[in-house]
Amino acid sequence: GDQAGRLQVALAGGYGGVPGNLWTAKGGFDPKAAVASIALEAAKFQLDRLAPILARTPVVDYAKTSVDTKVQLEVTREGGKFTGEFHLYGLNVGHPKIADTEVHGLDLSGKIDGRFDRATRRLELTRGDFRTRDVPFSLTGTAAAPPKPPIVETPGVAVAALPINPATGRPRSSPMIGP
């Protein structure tokens, strides 16, 4: 096909200022058509590489904890879709709000598929197959953000429509305070 104007994406980075590359993003982007296809990958690594970040969290004994993930994103003007998988092995956590004693050896893996629609601001998880402690479970569902208020255009002026007060059915004239 015609590749004119299409940009190649090749990024790599880490987390929270920790040195080293822990993930990559590769693919293509067509700015004119506003479409992209990006493969994100964090190859398997031990969480001790994130020691400066994890030192301030409930995650403990993380030297042997490992994680990896792969996600494919397809994005258009209308929204996008994603598919991927992840694995987290040997997670250990310790915090009094989680449990009286540290919890060791937590594993979680999953395969996901879903899509996002910009117009409706809707995210749908169409596949969520997970496994923890050799117990499989599935989760699918939809989350949607409230619609944005419409923009009322007047020559030379753009004004956002005021939200409706549900108690009175009339537009709010000032910012909402409280419920």
Side-chain angles (χ1 to χ4, degrees):
D2 181 16
Q3 297 294 312
R6 187 166 173 85
L7 304 173
Q8 291 300 310
V9 175
L11 303 171
Y15 300 102
V18 173
N21 290 330
L22 300 175
W23 58 265
T24 61
K26 298 177 182 176
F29 172 60
D30 183 335
K32 187 172 183 179
V35 297
S37 177
I38 307 290
L40 302 167
E41 180 175 0
K44 187 174 182 177
F45 68 92
Q46 306 305 116
L47 290 190
D48 61 348
R49 304 235 351 234
L50 303 177
I53 298 168
L54 296 176
R56 300 178 307 272
T57 72
V59 178
V60 297
D61 300 332
Y62 42 77
K64 293 184 180 178
T65 303
S66 67
V67 63
D68 65 89
T69 187
K70 290 182 183 182
V71 177
Q72 179 66 39
L73 299 172
E74 304 294 332
V75 182
T76 67
R77 287 185 199 280
E78 294 78 29
K81 60 184 179 176
F82 58 89
T83 186
E85 60 184 79
F86 68 92
H87 306 93
L88 174 65
Y89 298 107
L91 179 66
N92 306 306
V93 293
H95 193 280
K97 289 186 178 181
I98 297 171
D100 290 338
T101 61
E102 291 181 356
V103 179
H104 287 256
L106 299 174
D107 297 334
L108 177 65
S109 61
K111 295 183 179 185
I112 59 168
D113 296 323
R115 60 182 162 256
F116 176 76
D117 182 89
R118 289 177 198 248
T120 60
R121 300 175 62 182
R122 177 180 162 132
L123 175 68
E124 184 176 6
L125 184 63
T126 57
R127 176 185 183 197
D129 295 330
F130 304 96
R131 179 175 290 274
T132 186
R133 295 192 175 201
D134 290 325
V135 177
F137 64 98
S138 294
L139 176 69
T140 58
T142 302
K148 291 182 179 179
I151 300 293
V152 178
E153 293 188 29
T154 306
V157 179
V159 179
L162 293 172
I164 301 299
N165 182 331
T168 65
R170 298 174 50 180
R172 288 193 173 107
S173 58
S174 61
M176 185 175 125
I177 298 173

